[in-house]
């Protein structure tokens, strides 16, 4: 039986259509709101991954709500330095003696390292070498937000981050501004990472949970020689808990939100308005018309802050992520792989 030959013109049309389809597919992929990350990234490689993280976080928060606050803060400290690449987890080595976790913004206040280790161990047992430490931090922070809010903060977290191989304390000092910072400094530090003024105000709401060392606020909020708008009642309470000159051997911690200390809610903004917040960085949100209005909206409109916080967390967790040849999936979150 004779077989009809395909004309050059027809073949060209077929090739053109195929190339157009590939181009449209590539454009569609990059047009994804999460690109280069994606939702359900582990659905084939490790379908139980997110459930494992969630179960461990639920148990950890039930034991101590501070565990949830710790990993939310960890996500911020990770993503603002070298991007969301778990560089904050790396331990000192002879070749890298001063990684991020040894820097002043992280040591000794950043916690949750053992919790991330536990999650990594469980994931390695289920799916060896598949789930990155960077994705673990992001998943854990999402789940912490969910449990601490009683389910009111609920969102999907895209994944696909790889773990970085570089970590240096000097980078933390450069990008993690202290709580004594004024609004202008805070806005600039967020802008450098592609985050807006609204993102700054919304993510500051995470101060509704967790504890702070006295050394983070005594010098500028309780010092009689430094002007402060802190309420006299809160100032008196804090002075009864904190030494006038905290040291590394005498630096107690206090709740950041004394009204609902273990609940992820919008109480933080009500505290800002009543001048019952710990940090200058919190109080300064009232010093501009734009941020003052955002504080009022978050304080007074039901569900407003929760919705904004969900979006800001996903945005922050996408900062300068590493993919392809830029990173690796560490076997141990505290050390880079050596092949």
């Amino acid at each position: 039986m004779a077989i009809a030959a395909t004309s050059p013109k027809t073949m060209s049309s077929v090739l053109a259509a195929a190339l157009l389809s590939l181009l449209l597919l590539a454009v569609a992929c990059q047009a994804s709101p999460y690109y280069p990350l994606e939702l359900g990234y582990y659905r084939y490689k490790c379908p139980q991954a997110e459930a494992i993280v969630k179960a461990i976080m639920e148990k950890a928060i039930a034991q101590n709500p501070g565990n949830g606050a710790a990993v939310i803060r960890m996500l911020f400290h990770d993503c603002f330095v070298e991007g969301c690449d778990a560089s904050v987890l790396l331990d000192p080595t002879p070749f890298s003696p001063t990684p991020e976790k040894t820097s002043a913004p992280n040591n000794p206040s950043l916690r949750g390292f053992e919790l991330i280790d536990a999650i990594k161990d469980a994931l390695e047992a289920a799916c060896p070498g598949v789930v990155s430490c960077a994705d673990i931090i992001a998943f854990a922070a999402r789940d912490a937000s969910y449990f601490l809010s009683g389910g009111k903060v609920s969102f999907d977290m895209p994944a696909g981050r790889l773990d970085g191989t570089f970590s240096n304390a000097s980078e933390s000092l450069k990008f993690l501004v202290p709580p004594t910072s004024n609004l202008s400094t805070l806005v600039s530090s967020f802008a450098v990472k592609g985050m807006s003024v609204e993102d700054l105000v919304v993510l500051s709401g995470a101060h509704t949970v967790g504890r702070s060392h006295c050394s983070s606020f005594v010098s500028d909020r309780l010092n009689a020689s430094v002007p402060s708008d802190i309420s006299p009642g809160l100032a008196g309470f804090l002075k009864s808990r904190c030494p006038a000159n905290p040291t590394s051997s005498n630096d107690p911690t206090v709740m950041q939100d004394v009204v609902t200390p273990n609940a992820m809610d919008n109480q933080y903004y009500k505290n800002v308005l009543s001048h019952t917040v710990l940090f200058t960085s919190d109080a300064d949100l009232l010093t501009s018309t734009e941020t003052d209005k955002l504080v009022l909206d978050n304080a007074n409109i039901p569900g407003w802050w929760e919705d904004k916080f969900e979006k800001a967390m996903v945005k922050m967790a996408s900062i300068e992520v590493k993919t392809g040849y830029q990173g690796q999936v560490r076997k141990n979150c505290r050390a880079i792989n050596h092949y």
Side-chain angles (χ1 to χ4, degrees), residues 95-132:
F95 299 103
S96 180
T98 55
E100 291 168 32
K101 65 166 52 172
T102 65
S103 68
N106 295 325
N107 183 36
S109 61
L110 195 65
R111 301 186 302 108
F113 298 108
E114 292 77 13
L115 180 53
I116 298 299
D117 289 340
I119 296 171
K120 179 64 171 175
D121 289 345
L123 288 169
E124 285 298 301
C127 313
V130 173
V131 183
S132 71

Side-chain angles (χ1 to χ4, degrees), residues 22 62 69 91 122 181 184 295 304:
L22 288 172
D91 280 345
S181 301
S184 176
V295 169
W304 182 269

Side-chain angles (χ1 to χ4, degrees), residues 199-285:
D199 294 328
L200 162 63
V201 176
V202 168
L203 290 171
S204 294
H207 289 171
T208 189
V209 291
R211 304 181 69 88
S212 170
H213 284 272
C214 293
S215 58
S216 295
F217 57 83
V218 164
S219 65
D220 60 324
R221 297 286 280 165
L222 301 181
N223 188 334
S225 64
V226 179
S228 172
D229 71 344
I230 193 168
S231 77
L234 178 60
F237 170 77
L238 294 173
K239 286 177 181 177
S240 73
R241 298 291 191 274
C242 296
N245 296 290
T247 63
S248 58
S249 59
N250 184 20
D251 192 8
T253 61
V254 296
M255 290 291 187
Q256 294 193 102
D257 174 0
V258 296
V259 182
T260 57
N262 295 323
M264 197 91 182
D265 56 22
N266 70 338
Q267 181 62 44
Y268 164 80
Y269 299 98
K270 298 173 185 178
N271 295 346
V272 172
L273 292 169
S274 63
H275 305 286
T276 53
V277 285
L278 297 183
F279 308 132
T280 293
S281 60
D282 296 326
D284 251 36
L285 296 182

